[in-house]
Amino acid sequence: MFLASLRPLATWARAFSTTSVLEAGYKLKSHSGAKKRWRSSPGLQSFKRGRAGRAHLNTSKAPARLNRLGNTAYSTPAQTHKLRKVLLPYGSG
């Protein structure tokens, strides 16, 4: 009974690859958490972010550690590839 209600596989359309955004009826959203943490460098070659752990409770941390936490962190090539998909779901254009 369940199998009779299914349509043949040939008639199923994949909305994400065969139709436009307006025809599909939904839009992909960029990742809100990544938007708050990462900034793009010129040309989208990499992304940069601040390091966590420097806001409070700093008296027990070594000065070298605090200096390191104050530096900017840059994305690796693998992170850059993933961040482009997460932050720009439709590409950079």
Side-chain angles (χ1 to χ4, degrees), residues 1-31:
M1 181 182 296
F2 176 73
L3 293 176
S5 65
L6 290 178
R7 292 183 286 170
L9 291 176
T11 61
W12 286 358
R14 293 177 6 190
F16 59 86
S17 64
T18 59
T19 59
S20 69
V21 176
L22 294 175
E23 292 172 358
Y26 61 88
K27 293 182 180 180
L28 293 175
K29 295 183 178 182
S30 54
H31 196 281

Side-chain angles (χ1 to χ4, degrees), residues 8-70:
L9 291 176
T11 61
W12 286 358
R14 293 177 6 190
F16 59 86
S17 64
T18 59
T19 59
S20 69
V21 176
L22 294 175
E23 292 172 358
Y26 61 88
K27 293 182 180 180
L28 293 175
K29 295 183 178 182
S30 54
H31 196 281
S32 297
K35 282 194 296 189
K36 295 170 189 175
R37 288 169 175 82
W38 294 93
R39 300 284 180 259
S40 63
S41 63
L44 292 176
Q45 296 300 319
S46 65
F47 293 86
K48 63 181 184 176
R49 64 171 172 85
R51 295 187 188 269
R54 183 138 164 76
H56 60 98
L57 299 176
N58 292 325
T59 56
S60 63
K61 296 172 186 171
R65 180 179 174 187
L66 292 172
N67 287 337
R68 190 172 57 246
L69 290 174

Side-chain angles (χ1 to χ4, degrees), residues 16 21 27-31 35 82-93:
F16 59 86
V21 176
K27 293 182 180 180
L28 293 175
K29 295 183 178 182
S30 54
H31 196 281
K35 282 194 296 189
K82 190 169 186 177
L83 284 168
R84 280 187 190 164
K85 291 196 296 184
V86 168
L87 291 173
L88 305 168
Y90 292 108
S92 62

